[in-house]
Amino acid sequence: MSRGFEDRAADWIRFARAEGHDAYWAYRDAFFELLPPPPARALEVGCGEGRVTRDLRGRGYEVTGLDVAPTLVEAARDADPSGTYVVGDAAALPFDDASFDLVVSYNSLIDVDDMPAAVTEAGRVLRSGGCFCACVPHPFSEAGEFTSNDADAAFIVECSYLQEADYELVSERNGIVFHFVSRRFPLESYARALEGAGLAIEALREPPLPGVDRHRRMRMPLFLLWRTVKLETRRPD
């Protein structure tokens, strides 16, 4: 995972740019509602081909998109020539302390080599009072699965929710195929990383699937969203 999606860049570009294809299009508004309002100098960590950064720029934020995969960064630049996109490692951000008002991570913490280090770096580059906002696959939802696609299907957890674990998933729909290789974390792992980075949880959301009346995702959230704020560092007396 050290090179992100570099070996699957073409597949990810096809996946991410098929409007309405994946859950991003249904859940992005719930995520954007958590963000502090613009203007703000923002960094997106794990920007991929740039769709979140483009959406943020369209909403008035001044955004730098960062990804470890050079091919995806190039694709992001091609799609948004006036934007700012850089190649970099989430666990060693190439920016000074307190450089940003907002750091955003949309489903990228599951794909970095060292999640706690990435969270620590997000905290480092934030100014005091700045926000780190993230979306991650819901920890409990990722630990199990529904027995069918029925709205009232049972949800079964056979492994241990409490253990971190690597997993693979192949999405194949409408002729678009993408191979995910990611890592699942329990909520405590995320909470400990945030605590260690001096980031206090200010808002937490578990949005149901929008726009439907009867669906299994009305009972079990697909994503966990949060807004954290960087605490002021007190100097020793």
Side-chain angles (χ1 to χ4, degrees):
M1 290 187 286
S2 61
R3 301 189 68 205
F5 291 173
E6 181 64 22
D7 60 339
R8 294 157 281 159
D11 290 341
W12 179 248
I13 292 168
R14 189 177 305 112
F15 183 100
R17 292 186 180 174
E19 187 168 348
H21 177 74
D22 70 313
Y24 173 71
W25 309 96
Y27 286 90
R28 62 178 178 175
D29 288 344
F31 179 67
F32 293 143
E33 287 172 3
L34 277 182
L35 307 186
R41 188 178 182 206
L43 169 68
E44 187 197 356
V45 177
C47 70
E49 55 71 51
R51 64 181 178 179
V52 178
T53 293
R54 292 192 297 273
D55 277 351
L56 289 172
R57 279 171 40 78
R59 285 164 169 78
Y61 297 90
E62 178 189 348
V63 192
T64 297
L66 173 141
D67 201 275
V68 72
T71 300
L72 291 179
V73 171
E74 182 179 358
R77 289 172 179 156
D78 288 343
D80 182 20
S82 63
T84 302
Y85 299 91
V86 299
V87 177
D89 184 349
L93 294 174
F95 306 106
D96 292 337
D97 295 358
S99 294
F100 297 95
D101 306 305
L102 170 66
V103 176
V104 169
S105 169
Y106 196 95
N107 286 348
S108 62
L109 289 178
I110 57 172
D111 294 317
V112 299
D113 282 344
D114 189 337
M115 182 273 290
V119 172
T120 295
E121 278 292 273
R124 179 185 66 78
V125 302
L126 275 174
R127 64 167 177 79
S128 180
C131 292
F132 174 48
C133 298
C135 172
V136 296
H138 196 283
F140 191 72
S141 180
E142 287 291 292
E145 59 183 19
F146 288 99
T147 56
S148 74
N149 292 329
D150 296 339
D152 57 355
F155 184 81
I156 305 296
V157 177
E158 294 183 344
C159 63
S160 171
Y161 160 77
L162 296 173
Q163 290 183 344
E164 297 180 9
D166 294 329
Y167 69 93
E168 296 188 29
L169 172 67
V170 177
S171 172
E172 186 171 359
R173 184 162 53 89
N174 299 328
I176 299 175
V177 180
F178 191 75
H179 183 196
F180 292 92
V181 182
S182 303
R183 187 162 183 81
R184 177 176 57 79
F185 299 95
L187 179 57
E188 184 173 336
S189 293
Y190 289 120
R192 284 182 177 272
L194 294 169
E195 291 166 17
L199 298 165
I201 295 174
E202 193 171 58
L204 198 68
R205 300 290 185 270
E206 299 172 302
L209 181 65
V212 297
D213 295 325
R214 180 172 166 76
H215 192 281
R216 63 191 185 282
R217 284 298 172 192
M218 298 298 291
R219 298 163 40 226
M220 176 64 66
L222 185 59
F223 297 109
L224 177 70
L225 319 178
W226 71 64
R227 180 179 69 245
T228 61
V229 61
K230 183 176 180 178
L231 302 175
E232 182 178 356
T233 302
R234 295 184 178 181
R235 296 181 180 179
D237 295 332

